[in-house]
Amino acid sequence: MDKLSAEQRHKNMAAIHSKDTKPEMIVRRGLWKRGFRYRLNHKRLPGHPDLVLRKYRTCIFVNGCFWHGHLVDVQTLDNSGCCKIPKTNRDFWVAKIRRNKERDKEEQRKLAEMGWHCITVWECELKPSKREETLDSIAFTLNHIWLQDHGAKTTLYPQLEEENMQMPMAAESEV
Ligand SMILES: [Zn+2]
């Protein structure tokens, strides 16, 4: 059912689009509380990531499920539990959301080429019942990225050390 007037819908969507949307604030506060520091809306990076953590070489995008077509197949654009495309002007919305999804993908590809990690946080993952778990998992991912980038793997996972120690021997026999 599509009961909203065009004007009302425009207002709602403008609100969703504004900079300090609630989901983004939840991520900002949650990461700050966990000791992470970041920059906001980095203009010079592709896609203007919502949060940029230089120390972790990581960009975080906080995506609205509707606008970014969460769980929606790019080809069919069938409705998902997260993104229901309005029946009115369906072609318009399909085209718009498809473009958004393609743009997201392209921007993240560019960022990866520049050596950035990307984390996408979905609005639905920030519901009160899931929020803390989601924020913990972002924190975990960031720490994991840092350890990987700094080659700290072997001290974290002693079982890998044995494998690493054998590698020079294998290399030697090839010389
Ligand atoms: Zn979602």
Side-chain angles (χ1 to χ4, degrees):
M1 286 259 251
D2 214 358
K3 279 184 181 163
L4 295 178
S5 70
E7 194 197 351
Q8 186 60 44
R9 196 191 347 263
H10 181 78
K11 272 188 197 157
N12 290 355
M13 285 174 180
I16 292 166
H17 249 330
S18 75
K19 280 297 169 209
D20 287 338
T21 53
K22 210 170 163 240
E24 191 188 320
M25 287 306 294
I26 294 167
V27 175
R28 278 157 62 170
R29 277 196 296 264
L31 289 183
W32 186 272
K33 213 173 71 185
R34 285 166 176 78
F36 294 95
R37 298 297 175 259
Y38 43 78
R39 288 185 58 183
L40 302 175
N41 307 117
H42 205 299
K43 293 281 178 277
R44 271 189 256 151
L45 289 176
H48 306 161
D50 296 308
L51 284 78
V52 175
L53 294 92
R54 189 170 283 282
K55 181 178 161 192
Y56 300 83
R57 283 299 279 178
T58 296
C59 297
I60 297 182
F61 293 90
V62 185
N63 281 355
C65 293
F66 174 74
W67 283 103
H68 297 267
H70 190 203
L71 300 175
V72 157
D73 185 281
V74 202
Q75 299 309 318
T76 62
L77 280 202
D78 288 332
N79 290 342
S80 75
C82 277
C83 175
K84 288 190 175 52
I85 295 170
K87 286 196 179 104
T88 315
N89 291 330
R90 186 178 157 85
D91 291 348
F92 168 79
W93 291 111
V94 163
K96 178 146 193 77
I97 289 166
R98 184 173 285 149
R99 260 200 316 277
N100 286 349
K101 280 176 81 72
E102 280 163 1
R103 198 196 303 128
D104 291 345
K105 211 171 136 191
E106 178 60 16
E107 282 159 351
Q108 297 209 0
R109 194 189 58 76
K110 282 187 197 153
L111 285 165
E113 272 177 7
M114 293 163 71
W116 290 91
H117 304 276
C118 291
I119 297 175
T120 300
V121 188
W122 294 96
E123 191 185 355
C124 64
E125 297 169 331
L126 298 168
K127 284 189 288 204
S129 59
K130 288 192 179 176
R131 192 172 293 172
E132 291 305 308
E133 194 188 323
T134 299
L135 291 165
D136 283 345
S137 112
I138 301 169
F140 178 87
T141 303
L142 288 168
N143 287 325
H144 187 74
I145 285 170
W146 192 89
L147 288 169
Q148 267 194 331
D149 283 359
H150 293 77
K153 242 182 180 172
T154 48
T155 49
L156 231 205
Y157 306 108
Q159 71 272 21
L160 288 178
E161 234 160 354
E162 213 177 326
E163 281 172 33
N164 287 344
M165 280 166 67
Q166 284 168 5
M167 274 161 62
M169 280 162 62
E172 246 170 17
S173 61
E174 281 170 27
V175 175

